[in-house]
Amino acid sequence: MKRRKLFMIGNSHIDPVWFWDWEEGMQEVKATFLSALERLREFPEMKFTCTSTAFLEWFEEIRQRAAEGRWELTGGWFVEPDCTLPSGEAFVRQGLYGQRYLRKRFGRTARVGSNVDSFGHAPSLPQILKKSGLDYYVFMRPRLADPAFVWEGPDGSRVKAVSLPSEYTTWFYEQLKEQIGIAGAAMDAAGTDALPCCYWVGNHGGGPTIENVKSIYRLREELPDTELVFAGYEEYFEAADYRKAPVISRELKRINTGCYETDSEFKRMNRLCEKQLVLTEKMLSLCRSMTGGWMAECGRLGTLWKGLLFNQFHDTLGGTEIKDARDQAYAQLCAVSAGCGQILAAARQNIMNMIDTRGEGFPLFLFHFGNAGYDGYVAAELNWFCKHPLTLLDSEGNEVLYQRVHTRTKTRNYNIGGRRQIVFRAKLPEQGFAVYRAVVREPSVVCHGWEIDRPDAYVMENEKLRVSFGRESGMLESLFRKETGCEMLKGPVTYDVWEDERDSWGAVQDKSEGNRGAYRDSGEKMRLSLIEKSESGPCRECIHVIYEYGNSRLEQFWYLYAGEEEVVTESRVFWMEGWKTLRMRIPVTEEGAKQLYSRAEQPYGILKRVHERKEEIFPLDTCNMQRFVDVYGVPDVTGIPDGSGEPEQSGGFGIAVANNGRYAYLVHRGALLITLARGSIYAQGSGAAWYNPSEGYEYMDMGRLDVTLVIRPHEKQLPADVLYSMAERASVPYSYMLDTVHEGEKKLKGYTLIQTSDPCVYAAAVKKAEDDSDYIVRLIETGGRERRASVMAAGRIFEFRIGAYEILTLKLNPESGSARTVNLLEDPEGDGLLS
């Protein structure tokens, strides 16, 4: 009989934040690494591995042990993040900053990606891992029947992966023996003869102990059928035979799905920081394109990115840490946001100062960094003398119709001073700006949105949609598409209150023996308190609604803009209900439908899911999304269409929803359910008799939560670029600044930094190269097929090939014409350029 071989991995997975704050976490890193170095000196055969390059900056001896091959450089990322919730670019930066640090400090990069404790793994990660120099991947959650497999991404990228069948912590001899038995049984069941098995003292630091190592020596004698080898993960992967390993091409099953719903405000701030960091880099790139040099502020971006990445650790972004640690993390994200704001302001001023703004009136700069040109509505609040008239001109000098709406301040100026907020339709270039002008003269048409044109408080209507609210319920009851004469809602939109005693991770609790905690739709709903039409004019209408439940209130502003096929709702949720969850229920089809489909944004990808009809909802039914989800039915069509060669939706129906900071949705009984607030207890786990009513518990999501949703009904399959455009609109796709009149070097009405030739290829990131003054342009293919396309960068055109769902990174110098493809670490790779 062939001996089983276990590669014994002396490791440390350290939670820098969990039941402790970040400073205590970093102290435990120090204690763990000092202990690990002592063990390496005491036991020459032992080896040690750890992740998170954020931890490696303190000890010179680590460099020596790494050179000996006894301190394995694994992970390659800044921390072990949540592996579903961060954006695609955030995952890229984990590898960019982590791997480049390892190369600079140790002369090599990691080959093994490791996220043993993360709660599920996005399907697009194989490509991100591979293009970050990581050929292998280790995790523990979820555990798979075939622990050794090949993980394939939508683009075809593959990494060898292992799902650890045994725990990553083993405190004592008995536990280590038990875990070796579990790993051995998994090998027998899967028909493999080699797996890794971890040993160490867990989450609050500690590392491998003397007892751990001596236990392995002892078990070598006690288990003659199992070879126990001190090793690192890379040794395992290089020795293991993966020729017959199964290939898995999907997300690695959702687990701890409550983490998609907890701490809504922290998640909204995370989304904001992700957006601001990318936006800041694009603004700096625009400034460099116009001025010829990079601003010194570029040097701050890496530090700001790391501030975000550290707080995307899985217990932080997942919302399972104690409140004190959470509040520290939130403050750190606020610092990231404020830092981006400072750099954005400086870059914006540099750009505006370059422009000769002399002429009639005052220049209104409108910036837009979306992939396609923006043809939509802008709300701009201007400082404008209260007695002066205002005419708005576009970049060609044509008068623009605008609608006056209320300002953010409730103070009215009639004699001196004054502010004015206007809404108007603007046409803006992609990745650039346009210059409009505000002129002191009477406009052709004066429209005040508070002078209601159509007073019906229950109906909003434009050329495309009629949006109706129930006259007794006050709920949205109709999204009627005029072009086709179809009603897209199959019932009223309701705000359902769920009894939800799940723990932070989403597990149903054992409050006491034989008494499980509740998780179910209570049947209660928020009830109408007020409904009124607050705006009506040629640009938009607004219906203001307030609903109440218990001590909680939901205040909504529903907007319908002229000519648009979507409706926008801005909500203020004042939630005060512990152990209750508020969900917005949008009926997509009749309750008896057998199945529905969804497409949800993932990190640099879109994941398609099939939702079979169920009578009950279980915790793991909650799905994750990023900025959008599209739920639809496909009658008489097999498969899930996506515009990439699969069957086109015929006679179908659906509703797409984009959001500014929500990550959880369910599909149940013909409806899309979006979680708005979840009142779970901070850092509370499950277990027998854990709940003690005499203790004082603090609940998440208490107080005000802001939610913006863009809702679009459709009968045909929506192209991916439309979904991405909706996502941009949900988080305000423009910024503006009213400048003064001054001289400048350039006489421009507008400017475009980056422009792609194909709507299914979008420029997700534009930044300064890490090593020189070139541009890095990150392109994402969204339509599911290989393409030839071009990108115009700072006035020069570069042609390229991009594969289906590929993340393609170009390193460009428009001045010299040099161009090459690079990987996510900005190292040269295979040439995807045509010229």
Side-chain angles (χ1 to χ4, degrees), residues 328-344:
Q328 288 179 343
Y330 187 83
Q332 290 167 7
L333 290 188
C334 290
V336 173
S337 177
C340 288
Q342 293 166 354
I343 299 172
L344 278 168

PDB file of all heavy atoms in Angstrom, residues 328-344:
ATOM      1  N   GLN A 328     -12.843  52.254  14.424  1.00  0.00           N
ATOM      2  CA  GLN A 328     -11.502  52.639  14.002  1.00  0.00           C
ATOM      3  C   GLN A 328     -11.345  52.456  12.493  1.00  0.00           C
ATOM      4  O   GLN A 328     -10.779  53.312  11.799  1.00  0.00           O
ATOM      5  CB  GLN A 328     -10.456  51.794  14.730  1.00  0.00           C
ATOM      6  CG  GLN A 328     -10.289  52.137  16.197  1.00  0.00           C
ATOM      7  CD  GLN A 328      -9.265  51.246  16.878  1.00  0.00           C
ATOM      8  OE1 GLN A 328      -8.904  50.185  16.357  1.00  0.00           O
ATOM      9  NE2 GLN A 328      -8.785  51.675  18.030  1.00  0.00           N
ATOM     10  N   ALA A 329     -11.845  51.330  11.987  1.00  0.00           N
ATOM     11  CA  ALA A 329     -11.736  51.053  10.552  1.00  0.00           C
ATOM     12  C   ALA A 329     -12.521  52.078   9.745  1.00  0.00           C
ATOM     13  O   ALA A 329     -12.061  52.545   8.689  1.00  0.00           O
ATOM     14  CB  ALA A 329     -12.241  49.638  10.254  1.00  0.00           C
ATOM     15  N   TYR A 330     -13.700  52.447  10.237  1.00  0.00           N
ATOM     16  CA  TYR A 330     -14.504  53.442   9.525  1.00  0.00           C
ATOM     17  C   TYR A 330     -13.769  54.775   9.477  1.00  0.00           C
ATOM     18  O   TYR A 330     -13.766  55.461   8.443  1.00  0.00           O
ATOM     19  CB  TYR A 330     -15.867  53.600  10.212  1.00  0.00           C
ATOM     20  CG  TYR A 330     -16.821  54.488   9.448  1.00  0.00           C
ATOM     21  CD1 TYR A 330     -17.564  53.973   8.392  1.00  0.00           C
ATOM     22  CD2 TYR A 330     -16.975  55.831   9.773  1.00  0.00           C
ATOM     23  CE1 TYR A 330     -18.446  54.783   7.681  1.00  0.00           C
ATOM     24  CE2 TYR A 330     -17.844  56.639   9.069  1.00  0.00           C
ATOM     25  CZ  TYR A 330     -18.578  56.110   8.022  1.00  0.00           C
ATOM     26  OH  TYR A 330     -19.430  56.914   7.313  1.00  0.00           O
ATOM     27  N   ALA A 331     -13.133  55.153  10.594  1.00  0.00           N
ATOM     28  CA  ALA A 331     -12.368  56.403  10.619  1.00  0.00           C
ATOM     29  C   ALA A 331     -11.212  56.348   9.620  1.00  0.00           C
ATOM     30  O   ALA A 331     -10.891  57.352   8.963  1.00  0.00           O
ATOM     31  CB  ALA A 331     -11.839  56.654  12.026  1.00  0.00           C
ATOM     32  N   GLN A 332     -10.587  55.186   9.475  1.00  0.00           N
ATOM     33  CA  GLN A 332      -9.493  55.045   8.519  1.00  0.00           C
ATOM     34  C   GLN A 332      -9.990  55.172   7.080  1.00  0.00           C
ATOM     35  O   GLN A 332      -9.329  55.771   6.231  1.00  0.00           O
ATOM     36  CB  GLN A 332      -8.777  53.703   8.745  1.00  0.00           C
ATOM     37  CG  GLN A 332      -7.992  53.667  10.046  1.00  0.00           C
ATOM     38  CD  GLN A 332      -7.553  52.275  10.429  1.00  0.00           C
ATOM     39  OE1 GLN A 332      -7.709  51.313   9.673  1.00  0.00           O
ATOM     40  NE2 GLN A 332      -7.002  52.144  11.630  1.00  0.00           N
ATOM     41  N   LEU A 333     -11.183  54.638   6.806  1.00  0.00           N
ATOM     42  CA  LEU A 333     -11.755  54.829   5.473  1.00  0.00           C
ATOM     43  C   LEU A 333     -12.109  56.289   5.231  1.00  0.00           C
ATOM     44  O   LEU A 333     -11.953  56.791   4.115  1.00  0.00           O
ATOM     45  CB  LEU A 333     -12.995  53.949   5.291  1.00  0.00           C
ATOM     46  CG  LEU A 333     -12.778  52.447   5.181  1.00  0.00           C
ATOM     47  CD1 LEU A 333     -14.082  51.753   4.806  1.00  0.00           C
ATOM     48  CD2 LEU A 333     -11.690  52.095   4.174  1.00  0.00           C
ATOM     49  N   CYS A 334     -12.585  56.968   6.258  1.00  0.00           N
ATOM     50  CA  CYS A 334     -12.858  58.403   6.106  1.00  0.00           C
ATOM     51  C   CYS A 334     -11.577  59.154   5.757  1.00  0.00           C
ATOM     52  O   CYS A 334     -11.602  60.103   4.954  1.00  0.00           O
ATOM     53  CB  CYS A 334     -13.473  58.968   7.385  1.00  0.00           C
ATOM     54  SG  CYS A 334     -15.164  58.410   7.699  1.00  0.00           S
ATOM     55  N   ALA A 335     -10.448  58.733   6.345  1.00  0.00           N
ATOM     56  CA  ALA A 335      -9.166  59.365   6.027  1.00  0.00           C
ATOM     57  C   ALA A 335      -8.777  59.108   4.576  1.00  0.00           C
ATOM     58  O   ALA A 335      -8.239  59.990   3.899  1.00  0.00           O
ATOM     59  CB  ALA A 335      -8.079  58.850   6.963  1.00  0.00           C
ATOM     60  N   VAL A 336      -9.050  57.898   4.067  1.00  0.00           N
ATOM     61  CA  VAL A 336      -8.798  57.599   2.653  1.00  0.00           C
ATOM     62  C   VAL A 336      -9.639  58.511   1.769  1.00  0.00           C
ATOM     63  O   VAL A 336      -9.140  59.121   0.813  1.00  0.00           O
ATOM     64  CB  VAL A 336      -9.106  56.116   2.347  1.00  0.00           C
ATOM     65  CG1 VAL A 336      -9.017  55.838   0.845  1.00  0.00           C
ATOM     66  CG2 VAL A 336      -8.137  55.203   3.098  1.00  0.00           C
ATOM     67  N   SER A 337     -10.922  58.637   2.104  1.00  0.00           N
ATOM     68  CA  SER A 337     -11.818  59.479   1.313  1.00  0.00           C
ATOM     69  C   SER A 337     -11.371  60.935   1.348  1.00  0.00           C
ATOM     70  O   SER A 337     -11.335  61.619   0.309  1.00  0.00           O
ATOM     71  CB  SER A 337     -13.247  59.347   1.846  1.00  0.00           C
ATOM     72  OG  SER A 337     -14.138  60.197   1.154  1.00  0.00           O
ATOM     73  N   ALA A 338     -10.993  61.423   2.535  1.00  0.00           N
ATOM     74  CA  ALA A 338     -10.557  62.810   2.643  1.00  0.00           C
ATOM     75  C   ALA A 338      -9.257  63.034   1.879  1.00  0.00           C
ATOM     76  O   ALA A 338      -9.075  64.074   1.220  1.00  0.00           O
ATOM     77  CB  ALA A 338     -10.374  63.182   4.114  1.00  0.00           C
ATOM     78  N   GLY A 339      -8.330  62.065   1.938  1.00  0.00           N
ATOM     79  CA  GLY A 339      -7.085  62.188   1.192  1.00  0.00           C
ATOM     80  C   GLY A 339      -7.322  62.258  -0.304  1.00  0.00           C
ATOM     81  O   GLY A 339      -6.697  63.073  -1.010  1.00  0.00           O
ATOM     82  N   CYS A 340      -8.229  61.425  -0.793  1.00  0.00           N
ATOM     83  CA  CYS A 340      -8.579  61.492  -2.218  1.00  0.00           C
ATOM     84  C   CYS A 340      -9.185  62.846  -2.555  1.00  0.00           C
ATOM     85  O   CYS A 340      -8.877  63.431  -3.606  1.00  0.00           O
ATOM     86  CB  CYS A 340      -9.569  60.378  -2.562  1.00  0.00           C
ATOM     87  SG  CYS A 340      -8.861  58.720  -2.598  1.00  0.00           S
ATOM     88  N   GLY A 341     -10.039  63.347  -1.670  1.00  0.00           N
ATOM     89  CA  GLY A 341     -10.659  64.643  -1.927  1.00  0.00           C
ATOM     90  C   GLY A 341      -9.643  65.756  -2.051  1.00  0.00           C
ATOM     91  O   GLY A 341      -9.770  66.643  -2.907  1.00  0.00           O
ATOM     92  N   GLN A 342      -8.600  65.730  -1.227  1.00  0.00           N
ATOM     93  CA  GLN A 342      -7.561  66.754  -1.305  1.00  0.00           C
ATOM     94  C   GLN A 342      -6.819  66.694  -2.641  1.00  0.00           C
ATOM     95  O   GLN A 342      -6.566  67.721  -3.277  1.00  0.00           O
ATOM     96  CB  GLN A 342      -6.577  66.565  -0.152  1.00  0.00           C
ATOM     97  CG  GLN A 342      -7.171  66.844   1.218  1.00  0.00           C
ATOM     98  CD  GLN A 342      -6.290  66.338   2.338  1.00  0.00           C
ATOM     99  OE1 GLN A 342      -5.276  65.676   2.109  1.00  0.00           O
ATOM    100  NE2 GLN A 342      -6.674  66.647   3.572  1.00  0.00           N
ATOM    101  N   ILE A 343      -6.479  65.469  -3.062  1.00  0.00           N
ATOM    102  CA  ILE A 343      -5.741  65.324  -4.320  1.00  0.00           C
ATOM    103  C   ILE A 343      -6.623  65.689  -5.507  1.00  0.00           C
ATOM    104  O   ILE A 343      -6.184  66.358  -6.454  1.00  0.00           O
ATOM    105  CB  ILE A 343      -5.197  63.890  -4.460  1.00  0.00           C
ATOM    106  CG1 ILE A 343      -4.238  63.584  -3.305  1.00  0.00           C
ATOM    107  CG2 ILE A 343      -4.489  63.709  -5.796  1.00  0.00           C
ATOM    108  CD1 ILE A 343      -3.788  62.134  -3.252  1.00  0.00           C
ATOM    109  N   LEU A 344      -7.880  65.256  -5.463  1.00  0.00           N
ATOM    110  CA  LEU A 344      -8.811  65.603  -6.538  1.00  0.00           C
ATOM    111  C   LEU A 344      -8.944  67.113  -6.683  1.00  0.00           C
ATOM    112  O   LEU A 344      -8.931  67.646  -7.800  1.00  0.00           O
ATOM    113  CB  LEU A 344     -10.184  64.985  -6.259  1.00  0.00           C
ATOM    114  CG  LEU A 344     -10.394  63.528  -6.647  1.00  0.00           C
ATOM    115  CD1 LEU A 344     -11.675  62.987  -6.039  1.00  0.00           C
ATOM    116  CD2 LEU A 344     -10.415  63.377  -8.165  1.00  0.00           C
TER     117      LEU A 344
END
